[in-house]
C-alpha cells in the first residue's frame, strides 16, 4: 500500500524542529562526555551562587575567595608540574593570590602593617592581575576546568580586595577598610613589592635553578613561551622596542638564552605594571560603585571571550554536520 506523505511545514523560529532532525542531535548529545556536561552545570551554578553569596554575606564571600585563591595556586602547581609548565607558577599573579591567604595569617590583630598589605594587594589585584583577563583573552568556559581556574587566578584577588575594602571580613581587612588608602606611601610600596618579586623571579630562574633550566629546555615559563613564539604580539612589541633602543640589531629576534631578551621582557612587564596600577589607583579613588562596575566589566570580558567557544562550535555543527549525523537523519526519514 502506498502511503502519501505530506511535506512538513517549515519550523517557526524558536519552535522544536521535526523529529527527523532532532534525533541525530539527541544521539550526538548522548555521546557527549558526562564530565563535560557536569562541569558546565557546575560552572554556571558556581557563578550564580557566588553572586548570591556576595550579595547576602560578603564577609563569608571574602573568606571563601581567600581560600579559593591559594587552592587554585596549589592545583595549578600540581597540574602544571606534569606538563613541564610549573615555572608559570612563579608569575606575579600567583604571588598575589598567595598573599590573599597570607595577609590574615601574618596580621591577625590588624594594625598599620595590615592596612598597608591590603592597600598594596588592592592596587595589584585591580591593576596588573585583573586587567590580564581582557588583555590575555581569558575565557570563562564553564565545561573547561583549566580555563575556569585560569580566570580564577586573575579574579580571586580582585574579589578579595573588594570585600576587604568595602565589606571587611577579618581584623586585617577591618584595619584597611577603617583607615583607607594613603597614596603617598601606598603607591611607592606597590612598586617596592613588585621589584622584590621581579628580583626573586630573576634570582630563581637565572641563579638558583639556572643549571636545571639549561638542562631542561622543554620547560616553559612566561618568558620562554613569549621568546620562542615569534608570532606572539608581545614578542613583536619587545623586538620592535629593542631594535628602536639599539639593544637588538636589525635582524635579531628574541631568544630564551639571551639575557638582553629577558631584560627587555622585564622592561615591558614594568611598563604594563605602571599603566595598570594607574587604573587601580583611579578605582580606589572612585570608591565602591566604580569598583563594582570594574568587576562587572572584567567578568563580562571573560564571558564574552568564552561565548566565542560555544558559538563557534554551534555554527560549525550547523554548517558542517558530521557524516554519521547526516546518515542518522537519512535513516530516520526512511523509517518514517
Amino acid at each position: 500500500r502506498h502511503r502519501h506523505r505530506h511535506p512538513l511545514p517549515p519550523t517557526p523560529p524558536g519552535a522544536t524542529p521535526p523529529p527527523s532532525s532532532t534525533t541525530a542531535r539527541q544521539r550526538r548529545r548522548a555521546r557527549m562526555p558526562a564530565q563535560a556536561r557536569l562541569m558546565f552545570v557546575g560552572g554556571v551554578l558556581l557563578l550564580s551562587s557566588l553572586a548570591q553569596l556576595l550579595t547576602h554575606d560578603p564577609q563569608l564571600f571574602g573568606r571563601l575567595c581567600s581560600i579559593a585563591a591559594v587552592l587554585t595556586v596549589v592545583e595549578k602547581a600540581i597540574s602544571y608540574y606534569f606538563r613541564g609548565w610549573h615555572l608559570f607558577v612563579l608569575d606575579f599573579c600567583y604571588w598575589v593570590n598567595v598573599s590573599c591567604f597570607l595577609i590574615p595569617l601574618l596580621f591577625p590583630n590588624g594594625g598599620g602593617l595590615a592596612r598597608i598589605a591590603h592597600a598594596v594587594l588592592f592596587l595589584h589585584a585591580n591593576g596588573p592581575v585583573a586587567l590580564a583577563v581582557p588583555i590575555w583573552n581569558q575565557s570563562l568556559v564553564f565545561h573547561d576546568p583549566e580555563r575556569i581556574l585560569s580566570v580564577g587566578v586573575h579574579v580571586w584577588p580582585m574579589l578579595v580586595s573588594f570585600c576587604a575594602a568595602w565589606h571587611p571580613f577579618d581584623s586585617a581587612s577591618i584595619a584597611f577598610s577603617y583607615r583607607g588608602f594613603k597614596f603617598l606611601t601606598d603607591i611607592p610600596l606597590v612598586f617596592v613589592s613588585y621589584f622584590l618579586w621581579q628580583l626573586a623571579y630573576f634570582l630563581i630562574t637565572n641563579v638558583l635553578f639556572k643549571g636545571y633550566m639549561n638542562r631542561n629546555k622543554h620547560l616553559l615559563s612566561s618568558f620562554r613561551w613569549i621568546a620562542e613564539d615569534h608570532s606572539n604580539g608581545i614578542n613583536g612589541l619587545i623586538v620592535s622596542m629593542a631594535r628602536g633602543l639599539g639593544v637588538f640589531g636589525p635582524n635579531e629576534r628574541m631568544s630564551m638564552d639571551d639575557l638582553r631578551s629577558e631584560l627587555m621582557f622585564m622592561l615591558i612587564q614594568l611598563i604594563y605594571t605602571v599603566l595598570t596600577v594607574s587604573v587601580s589607583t583611579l578605582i580606589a579613588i572612585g570608591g565602591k560603585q566604580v569598583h563594582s562596575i570594574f568587576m562587572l566589566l572584567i567578568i563580562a570580558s571573560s564571558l564574552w571571550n568564552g561565548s566565542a567557544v560555544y558559538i563557534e562550535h554551534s555554527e560549525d555543527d550547523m554548517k558542517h554536520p558530521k557524516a554519521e549525523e547526516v546518515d542518522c537523519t537519512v535513516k530516520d526519514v526512511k523509517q518514517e
Side-chain angles (χ1 to χ4, degrees), residues 2-324:
H2 176 71
R3 183 178 62 178
H4 180 69
R5 294 179 56 87
H6 295 282
L8 293 173
T11 305
T16 304
S20 60
S21 62
T22 58
T23 306
R25 290 178 185 164
Q26 291 170 352
R27 294 178 182 177
R28 176 164 54 87
R29 289 171 183 168
R31 292 195 298 269
M32 291 180 181
Q35 182 181 2
R37 302 177 78 170
L38 287 173
M39 285 300 303
F40 177 86
V41 174
V44 174
L45 292 178
L46 175 63
L47 184 62
S48 58
S49 299
L50 288 175
Q52 289 290 326
L53 184 60
L54 176 59
T55 302
H56 293 93
D57 194 346
Q59 288 76 24
L60 177 59
F61 180 83
R63 297 189 190 97
L64 291 179
C65 287
S66 299
I67 297 172
V70 73
L71 290 179
T72 301
V73 174
V74 172
E75 193 283 333
K76 285 287 189 181
I78 296 172
S79 62
Y80 279 3
Y81 177 79
F82 294 103
R83 306 182 197 180
W85 297 354
H86 46 285
L87 295 175
F88 279 106
V89 183
L90 297 175
D91 286 355
F92 187 68
C93 57
Y94 292 95
W95 291 59
V96 174
N97 275 266
V98 172
S99 68
C100 293
F101 183 76
L102 290 180
I103 289 175
L105 299 180
L106 295 175
F107 309 105
N109 299 320
L113 291 178
R115 187 209 68 78
I116 292 173
H118 265 297
V120 171
L121 172 65
F122 185 101
L123 295 173
H124 281 315
N126 296 280
V129 178
L131 287 170
V133 173
I135 290 174
W136 291 101
N137 293 320
Q138 296 288 317
S139 304
L140 194 56
V141 180
F142 293 113
H143 70 278
D144 189 341
E146 179 71 28
R147 298 192 191 188
I148 290 177
L149 291 175
S150 294
V151 173
V153 166
H154 298 93
V155 166
W156 294 129
M158 176 184 70
L159 298 175
V160 171
S161 69
F162 179 86
C163 294
W166 319 118
H167 302 281
F169 51 88
D170 56 25
S171 298
S173 58
I174 289 173
F176 169 56
S177 180
Y178 177 74
R179 301 182 185 183
F181 291 94
K182 297 179 181 178
F183 293 109
L184 291 179
T185 56
D186 293 340
I187 293 179
L189 289 173
V190 165
F191 291 103
V192 168
S193 63
Y194 173 80
F195 283 121
L196 288 175
W197 164 80
Q198 186 68 85
L199 177 62
Y201 186 96
F202 185 83
L203 291 176
I204 291 171
T205 57
N206 290 276
V207 179
L208 296 178
F209 294 101
K210 183 177 181 180
Y212 170 73
M213 295 182 67
N214 288 336
R215 291 191 303 269
N216 298 274
K217 298 293 186 181
H218 66 283
L219 296 179
L220 282 180
S221 64
S222 293
F223 167 68
R224 286 186 168 188
W225 171 54
I226 291 176
E228 295 303 304
D229 184 6
H230 298 298
S231 63
N232 187 285
I234 302 297
N235 183 299
L237 178 62
I238 292 173
V239 170
S240 298
M241 181 179 293
R243 290 174 180 174
L245 295 174
V247 178
F248 285 0
N251 298 318
E252 285 188 291
R253 292 177 173 268
M254 288 188 72
S255 172
M256 66 180 185
D257 298 318
D258 183 11
L259 180 60
R260 297 173 304 164
S261 297
E262 186 161 7
L263 291 175
M264 289 301 301
F265 177 66
M266 293 166 60
L267 176 60
I268 286 291
Q269 286 185 307
L270 175 60
I271 294 172
Y272 169 78
T273 302
V274 171
L275 294 176
T276 52
V277 166
S278 64
V279 174
S280 59
T281 302
L282 293 176
I283 293 170
I285 295 172
K288 181 179 178 181
Q289 288 72 24
V290 174
H291 197 185
S292 300
I293 294 172
F294 175 77
M295 289 200 309
L296 287 175
L297 291 175
I298 294 297
I299 299 297
S301 69
S302 67
L303 290 170
W304 175 270
N305 295 331
S307 67
V309 175
Y310 296 104
I311 294 172
E312 286 174 2
H313 281 291
S314 177
E315 290 182 346
D316 186 63
D317 288 342
M318 293 173 65
K319 294 178 181 178
H320 306 287
K322 297 180 180 180
E324 62 267 24

